[in-house]
Amino acid sequence: MYVPPHFAAGSQADMLALITAHPLGALVRAHDGGLQADHIPFELAPPADAAPNGVLRAHVARANPVWQADGAPVLVLFQGASSYVSPLLYDVEAAGGRVVPTWNYAVVHAHGRLRAIEDPAWILGQMTRMTRRHEDANAGWRVEDAPRDYIDKLVRTTVGIEIVIERLEAKFKLSQNRSAADRARVLQAME
């Protein structure tokens, strides 16, 4: 990914925060001589000694062939907020009319190797954590609310995915190359 220095993410913490806030990732892998992308919600396990960039965890239907890429290099793309930016938001006169439209966005690319996990306890734990994170803690649905035989069947027809993040790269293109006044107008328009 092309990242001019002024659009580079500030820190690993900023990149991981985007993944946490926008967990639907596009998992890209080589497949049948081309590229295949699957859109999957991920859980991010924080950095640790064995995984200094963190670990992505998810689960997919066994019918989805993505898990068969066990051991293969993959790229997971996470996208935060984005928006068209009209040149009318800039000080056109001060720029001598030299303005063009652009697009502001924040993206993170996580590189690693896919590991398929078929352990039922791991899969159930991952399903439970994802559900707990995205449901209302007090009144939301819980995995335990469904009949146990139904959940057991789902677990049998599901495969876990884990990706130790080997490398992170990000681009936070947020008009940093514009004046403070231009950035303020863009931000106000986006709100």
Side-chain angles (χ1 to χ4, degrees):
M1 172 170 55
Y2 171 65
V3 184
H6 49 275
F7 296 144
S11 68
Q12 179 195 55
D14 291 339
M15 291 184 258
L16 297 179
L18 184 139
I19 291 170
T20 299
H22 303 278
L24 182 66
L27 188 153
V28 181
R29 63 184 168 41
H31 180 70
D32 290 339
L35 296 175
Q36 180 77 31
D38 289 274
H39 299 269
I40 302 169
F42 284 91
E43 168 190 36
L44 174 65
D49 289 342
N53 291 313
V55 178
L56 298 172
R57 295 183 177 131
H59 59 275
V60 296
R62 187 171 291 279
N64 183 339
V66 68
W67 67 270
Q68 295 171 4
D70 189 40
V74 294
L75 167 64
V76 185
L77 311 171
F78 295 93
Q79 182 173 327
S82 71
S83 183
Y84 173 82
V85 178
S86 170
L88 297 177
L89 294 172
Y90 302 140
D91 185 345
V92 177
E93 187 176 319
R98 292 182 304 276
V99 294
V100 295
T102 191
W103 203 274
N104 278 358
Y105 56 91
V107 294
V108 173
H109 294 183
H111 301 260
R113 291 191 175 276
L114 187 141
R115 182 170 77 97
I117 300 172
E118 298 189 69
D119 174 27
W122 189 99
I123 294 166
L124 180 59
Q126 204 279 325
M127 287 178 172
T128 301
R129 286 188 309 276
M130 287 286 286
T131 300
R132 193 178 306 128
R133 175 170 182 238
H134 295 288
E135 286 286 334
D136 183 313
N138 299 313
W141 184 87
R142 299 172 313 160
V143 170
E144 299 82 21
D145 292 341
R148 184 60 196 210
D149 61 330
Y150 176 70
I151 295 301
D152 289 344
K153 180 181 177 187
L154 283 178
V155 168
R156 285 191 307 274
T157 60
T158 301
V159 178
I161 291 176
E162 186 171 80
I163 302 164
V164 173
I165 302 171
E166 297 169 358
R167 182 168 57 95
L168 285 167
E169 59 183 346
K171 185 174 187 178
F172 290 6
K173 184 180 176 294
L174 306 170
S175 298
Q176 299 97 313
N177 58 330
R178 305 299 305 185
S179 70
D182 283 352
R183 286 193 308 274
R185 280 191 297 278
V186 169
L187 182 60
Q188 182 179 12
M190 299 306 121
E191 292 175 346

